[in-house]
Amino acid sequence: MDYLTTLNPEQREAVLHNEGPAMIIAGAGSGKTRVLTVRIAHLIDYHRVDPFNILTLTFTNKAAKEMRQRIETVVGTEARNIWMGTFHSVFAKILRVEAPLLGYPSNFTIYDTDDAKSLLKNIVKEKNLDSKVYKPNVVLNRISAAKNRLIDAKQYKKDATIASYDVKSRLPELANIYLKYEERCFKAGAMDFDDLLFNTYKLLSKHPDALNKYQSKFRYILVDEYQDTNFAQYVIVKKLAARNRNIVVVGDDAQSIYAFRGADIQNILNFEKDYPELRVYKLEQNYRSTNTIVQASSSIIKHNRAQLPKSIWTDNDEGKLIDVIRATSDNEEGKLVAHSIYENKLNHQISYEDQAILYRTNSQSRAMEESLRKLGIGYRIVGGMSFYQRKEIKDLLAYLRLTVNPNDEQALRRVINYPKRGIGDTSVGKLLIASDETGQTLWDIVLKVKGYLGGSVAGKIDGFATMIRSFMIFGQKNDAYDTAMHIAKTSGVLRDLSSDKTIEGVARYENLNELLNGIKQFVDDQEREEKDLGSFLQEIALLTNADEDEEDDREKVTMMTIHSAKGLEFKNVYVCGLEEDLFPSAMMLSSREDLEEERRLFYVAITRAEDQLTLSYATSRYRYGRLFNCSPSRFLEEIDSSYLNVKKPKERSSIFLERKEKPAIGGEKITSKEGGFRLKAKPIRKTFAKKYTAPPDFKPDDPGLLEEGMRVEHSKFGFGVISKIDNAPNSKKAIVTFDEVGEKTLLLSFAKLKIHS
DNA sequence: TTTCTGTACTAATCA
DNA sequence: AGTACAGAAA
């Protein structure tokens, strides 16, 4: 029970709350994760609750993992039996078992946003609708919103209000697209992200035995970040908790930032209505930030009308004022931020891992990256274009998906002609028509292709089907790694990539190997029981942006969107791009609700900082390759100016601005998963390869003169040092570490290198 | 059927 | 700046 002594009275009360519903309103930095973990530990350790009976829903898998580890220090390995994870991953786990009740195979595929969009694109095309009007993005958002409100395609079609709204917004065919989309997903044995929630709801409402089973299993339910749950999640939780009513939700209305995904603050208010016996606990003391930051954040959030009454306070020091940096361009903004980070380290011994750069949109990372690289500051980017979104990764994954579930239409279409095997769009189109007319899946048609197509194409398709079938048989007898390796080799994917000797091609090949390594680590994980391909695919389908690798973070600045930063904290935080139309986003200016959500997002951003907060903006910025002027964000004016230190451009030390540029280190994007393996993508940087252009008088030297350790100039990559020369008979190679683009292997018969002494 | 090339269009946040 | 698509040429 020592763990209770570390809590303040309010926290302790929340932890000791016994049975029945409770809501914990926890301000930023008030120790809510601590309360949650101690509470769970207390349930197990003191109240002798069986961990199997506890369900904890968190916002990221990483948060769940950390929480589990902390609980383990109190109650031991028993903690591993707690059901803990994101809504999506917990529900996917349930659906793996129960999907057959809903007519889905238990090895169902999970469609990510890209799969969903490309399926919608296909449907729009098949219906001969204008894809400029029915944009996949827009259509998907509408369908997603409907699913989050638990409206299926049939109900959608019947609903007069929705119909008139769709007509008004000139998308009258939406209902029919939704019907088709639903049908195609079901036929393919696939669920999109929203289906994981929707189908769980269907399961619990249509199958009393299943409802009964999970209600008695989950006797204690805890929900973190409750302010970001949507209607579907709300209803499911309510159903699960209906019998025991032991539900504790933790949230902060001021940090609700996912309305675009259907999150509804209303859920907090509904909660009070649903459980009249509800106890409410408030955690108002901030342990994270300086008083300046706490006060400044309060001065911002009070501009919002919609909020629950609470007053955040802190015992911490007053701290430093909030710096405001003004730059003339996005590139200069990056430079100033990078220099400031460098200076913090040099003069104040603040290591890079304690510093973070936050921005509204992922596209803002580029200018920052370049500046950090020039100063030789290591960094890592959370989110953005992730490893799994790369073409080469998706290609192999499509083969793997197809092997697990051959009805997966998106996967089939992706690889039926990759690598090129002479099955073009025309032929695939014919198969699709046959599939539509006969009601069979695309795979069924492929199996019986000779009945629908003639000529040599039929033979090729037949060969493809035979290959996939052989993969399926192979997969039944082997683990995920051996199967994936077999598939990569036999399908020709590996050969196709290794034949591409361009720089980008080599990077792609390495990425593919990284994926295979990742699968190997998955298989080698001692704690894992299921090592088949299907388990691996399920594992990676639900990775979140924040599910990051930790061992590699040392001496690296963290960069991410503010959304990804939720729940995190850093000593020094830079919030960039504080300009009208960027933050707040131009798309969020039309209603008070939207603007207030942007303001909450800003609130989340600044409350990430412990000691020092810096806000920056630029007066011009590149968009669509053009330079646009911008004006400072209204949010800057909303902060009480007594907390601000507006830096005048002159004050900045010129030493830094003229410093010689250092070679780059670091700079890889990292994505990983909690099971212990991690995947790094080799960045494919055409941009930087293009950036450098040799002077007109550039003349390469004779490759024979090159030696290890020499400093050389390359016509595209700029300057670098030869780290190794490989004297293979017909392909002399040099490995050169370039200042800007990092290590490259160059074939000396092609590469033009000039020696610099 | 594939590959090349020019053009049109686009970048908000996430599971 | 990057890319996705359409149309022409091979």
Side-chain angles (χ1 to χ4, degrees):
Chain A
M1 297 271 281
D2 313 340
Y3 47 83
L4 290 179
T5 59
T6 60
L7 304 170
N8 71 26
E10 291 75 31
Q11 293 174 330
R12 196 172 311 134
E13 243 190 281
V15 164
L16 295 178
H17 168 88
N18 198 2
E19 307 236 305
M23 179 157 69
I24 304 172
I25 304 288
S30 62
K32 80 181 158 71
T33 310
R34 179 115 139 272
V35 168
L36 221 41
T37 49
V38 175
R39 175 168 172 79
I40 296 169
H42 190 65
L43 281 176
I44 298 170
D45 186 58
Y46 182 79
H47 293 288
R48 298 283 146 204
V49 174
D50 189 334
F52 281 103
N53 294 137
I54 300 175
L55 170 65
T56 309
L57 297 164
T58 59
F59 202 72
T60 65
N61 291 310
K62 188 186 176 195
K65 188 186 170 194
E66 285 172 2
M67 227 183 267
R68 195 192 298 277
Q69 281 170 352
R70 282 157 77 167
I71 297 167
E72 206 170 318
T73 62
V74 180
V75 305
T77 52
E78 274 287 289
R80 292 183 197 170
N81 299 325
I82 305 168
W83 276 57
M84 201 179 258
T86 62
F87 277 89
H88 288 87
S89 65
V90 166
F91 294 169
K93 194 170 158 188
I94 291 176
L95 288 171
R96 283 292 156 203
V97 180
E98 314 291 352
L101 285 175
L102 300 167
Y104 278 90
S106 55
N107 63 355
F108 64 86
T109 304
I110 297 172
Y111 275 176
D112 67 14
T113 313
D114 290 338
D115 295 316
K117 276 189 215 159
S118 81
L119 174 55
L120 283 169
K121 208 182 206 173
N122 295 335
I123 291 172
V124 167
K125 203 168 177 186
E126 286 160 27
K127 286 187 171 292
N128 283 320
L129 297 168
D130 187 350
S131 62
K132 304 249 161 65
V133 178
Y134 291 91
K135 292 180 190 159
N137 247 327
V138 174
V139 177
L140 182 61
N141 281 339
R142 292 284 264 265
I143 292 176
S144 170
K147 284 183 181 173
N148 285 331
R149 280 179 290 145
L150 303 174
I151 298 166
D152 67 19
K154 259 194 207 151
Q155 292 166 279
Y156 191 101
K157 173 111 182 164
K158 270 194 295 193
D159 193 309
T161 323
I162 294 175
S164 77
Y165 180 73
D166 283 349
V167 170
K168 234 188 268 168
S169 46
R170 303 194 181 182
L171 299 167
E173 285 300 308
L174 266 180
N176 293 325
I177 296 173
Y178 187 6
L179 274 169
K180 198 82 200 169
Y181 176 73
E182 195 179 75
E183 179 199 318
R184 290 278 274 278
C185 284
F186 185 73
K187 227 165 92 178
M191 299 189 197
D192 65 19
F193 291 135
D194 303 309
D195 287 333
L196 294 174
L197 306 181
F198 201 175
N199 285 326
T200 303
Y201 165 77
K202 283 183 195 162
L203 174 76
L204 298 179
S205 44
K206 289 184 187 162
H207 298 273
D209 42 332
L211 178 65
N212 192 20
K213 176 173 160 190
Y214 290 102
Q215 277 183 340
S216 37
K217 176 166 175 52
F218 300 131
R219 288 179 44 217
Y220 291 83
I221 300 175
L222 300 96
V223 184
D224 195 8
E225 308 282 9
Y226 190 70
Q227 76 282 354
D228 285 325
T229 52
N230 61 35
F231 182 69
Q233 292 166 326
Y234 159 78
V235 172
I236 294 167
V237 168
K238 188 174 162 185
K239 271 185 183 295
L240 286 174
R243 179 180 305 171
N244 295 299
R245 297 176 87 81
N246 286 324
I247 173 154
V248 174
V249 301
V250 185
D252 179 5
D253 59 303
Q255 296 187 62
S256 166
I257 54 174
Y258 280 97
F260 72 89
R261 198 167 93 185
D264 192 350
I265 308 192
Q266 206 60 32
N267 288 346
I268 291 187
L269 307 174
N270 282 338
F271 200 75
E272 291 175 313
K273 275 185 222 147
D274 291 341
Y275 304 97
E277 75 271 38
L278 177 74
R279 284 288 314 267
V280 177
Y281 301 91
K282 281 190 188 177
L283 308 180
E284 298 181 311
Q285 180 175 3
N286 178 307
Y287 291 94
R288 178 185 296 153
S289 312
T290 63
N291 193 39
T292 301
I293 292 168
V294 170
Q295 295 307 322
S297 68
S298 303
S299 75
I300 288 153
I301 204 68
K302 74 168 186 245
H303 286 87
N304 274 8
R305 278 189 201 163
Q307 55 182 314
L308 300 177
K310 64 173 143 359
S311 57
I312 308 296
W313 60 279
T314 186
D315 257 351
N316 294 343
D317 290 345
E318 203 50 38
K320 285 163 276 188
L321 288 178
I322 298 167
D323 284 336
V324 178
I325 295 179
R326 171 201 153 100
T328 53
S329 69
D330 46 358
N331 290 328
E332 199 202 18
E333 181 188 37
K335 212 191 240 170
L336 295 174
V337 167
H339 281 123
S340 168
I341 288 173
Y342 184 85
E343 201 198 58
N344 289 334
K345 160 116 171 156
L346 193 71
N347 297 340
H348 307 287
Q349 289 75 48
I350 300 167
S351 85
Y352 291 146
E353 71 215 66
D354 288 328
Q355 310 194 53
I357 302 174
L358 308 182
Y359 36 75
R360 177 68 236 266
T361 67
N362 278 309
S363 56
Q364 287 168 255
S365 72
R366 175 102 54 67
M368 298 289 156
E369 279 182 74
E370 260 176 73
S371 303
L372 291 171
R373 212 195 320 267
K374 280 182 185 162
L375 285 186
I377 300 173
Y379 61 87
R380 66 182 185 120
I381 294 180
V382 177
M385 165 86 149
S386 86
F387 186 81
Y388 294 99
Q389 286 170 305
R390 288 170 184 276
K391 183 190 172 298
E392 63 273 21
I393 301 304
K394 296 203 100 170
D395 287 337
L396 181 59
L397 286 179
Y399 270 106
L400 305 185
R401 276 164 53 177
L402 201 56
T403 303
V404 171
N405 171 18
N407 289 323
D408 184 338
E409 184 189 314
Q410 290 305 305
L412 177 57
R413 292 177 72 164
R414 189 172 182 105
V415 297
I416 193 164
N417 197 31
Y418 176 79
K420 297 269 172 343
R421 44 175 78 88
I423 307 169
D425 285 345
T426 324
S427 310
V428 176
K430 286 177 190 158
L431 297 177
L432 275 167
I433 290 166
S435 151
D436 207 42
E437 281 173 354
T438 62
Q440 301 174 79
T441 67
L442 195 55
W443 173 246
D444 289 334
I445 304 295
V446 165
L447 286 178
K448 291 175 271 185
V449 62
K450 298 243 158 93
Y452 302 92
L453 285 178
S456 63
V457 192
K460 289 172 188 164
I461 295 175
D462 203 46
F464 175 77
T466 310
M467 179 175 73
I468 297 298
R469 270 197 308 224
S470 79
F471 292 164
M472 292 164 71
I473 294 164
F474 193 96
Q476 279 160 11
K477 296 190 213 116
N478 295 280
D479 67 26
Y481 176 71
D482 291 335
T483 312
M485 198 45 133
H486 174 75
I487 292 173
K489 282 181 187 157
T490 319
S491 64
V493 172
L494 218 49
R495 202 176 325 117
D496 183 68
L497 281 176
S498 63
S499 67
D500 185 349
K501 291 296 178 206
T502 61
I503 300 139
E504 297 88 31
V506 172
R508 274 192 276 272
Y509 182 74
E510 286 173 8
N511 281 339
L512 200 70
N513 274 320
E514 209 49 52
L515 174 64
L516 290 166
N517 286 341
I519 303 177
K520 180 101 180 98
Q521 285 183 44
F522 174 87
V523 169
D524 288 346
D525 186 350
Q526 298 295 325
E527 284 177 29
R528 197 176 303 280
E529 285 162 25
E530 308 280 327
K531 304 196 173 195
D532 61 295
L533 200 53
S535 308
F536 174 76
L537 290 177
Q538 187 196 338
E539 193 85 23
I540 60 166
L542 294 168
L543 288 177
T544 69
N545 239 352
D547 294 335
E548 276 279 324
D549 179 28
E550 278 143 71
E551 41 191 295
D552 240 35
D553 296 357
R554 254 178 280 175
E555 276 313 300
K556 282 184 183 171
V557 174
T558 304
M559 300 171 59
M560 63 187 136
T561 63
I562 301 164
H563 282 89
S564 302
K566 189 164 77 152
L568 305 179
E569 57 189 19
F570 298 89
K571 280 207 176 71
N572 278 24
V573 169
Y574 293 80
V575 183
C576 304
L578 277 161
E579 295 136 37
E580 283 295 296
D581 292 351
L582 179 62
F583 194 18
S585 159
M587 289 156 166
M588 297 292 261
L589 297 175
S590 49
S591 74
R592 169 169 290 274
E593 288 73 35
D594 284 350
L595 183 62
E596 294 205 344
E597 170 142 324
E598 290 287 287
R599 193 175 284 118
R600 289 193 296 270
L601 190 59
F602 186 46
Y603 176 81
V604 167
I606 63 183
T607 52
R608 298 310 96 201
E610 295 171 0
D611 295 343
Q612 173 76 62
L613 175 66
T614 306
L615 308 174
S616 74
Y617 66 96
T619 51
S620 72
R621 185 176 293 277
Y622 279 95
R623 271 166 80 196
Y624 311 117
R626 286 203 107 89
L627 198 61
F628 287 86
N629 286 327
C630 5
S631 51
S633 169
R634 65 188 74 187
F635 293 154
L636 284 170
E637 285 158 37
E638 292 177 1
I639 306 178
D640 192 325
S641 62
S642 61
Y643 303 119
L644 298 180
N645 168 35
V646 181
K647 286 198 172 181
K648 290 181 201 109
K650 283 174 202 162
E651 274 180 29
R652 292 189 302 266
S653 135
S654 58
I655 301 167
F656 285 107
L657 297 175
E658 281 150 32
R659 233 181 108 264
K660 207 185 154 211
E661 289 170 356
K662 277 174 76 174
I665 54 169
E668 65 270 46
K669 303 192 179 191
I670 306 165
T671 310
S672 78
K673 58 151 305 310
E674 53 172 356
F677 71 82
R678 64 201 166 78
L679 301 176
K680 274 188 218 171
K682 286 271 172 184
I684 301 174
R685 296 197 180 283
K686 287 190 205 157
T687 344
F688 297 108
K690 268 189 214 158
K691 278 258 153 73
Y692 182 86
T693 33
D697 61 333
F698 181 84
K699 278 198 199 102
D701 285 299
D702 178 1
L705 300 173
L706 299 172
E707 281 172 35
E708 288 176 12
M710 274 180 173
R711 188 155 176 82
V712 292
E713 182 181 6
H714 182 275
S715 59
K716 275 196 197 131
F717 302 140
F719 293 90
V721 175
I722 301 179
S723 50
K724 199 172 185 307
I725 289 190
D726 182 356
N727 273 319
N730 284 325
S731 59
K732 265 197 170 181
K733 279 173 263 185
I735 299 171
V736 183
T737 311
F738 289 101
D739 299 352
E740 298 290 327
V741 292
E743 194 173 279
K744 300 280 177 209
T745 305
L746 304 170
L747 276 175
L748 291 179
S749 46
F750 297 111
K752 308 274 185 278
L753 291 171
K754 182 177 177 178
I755 300 168
H756 281 253
S757 47

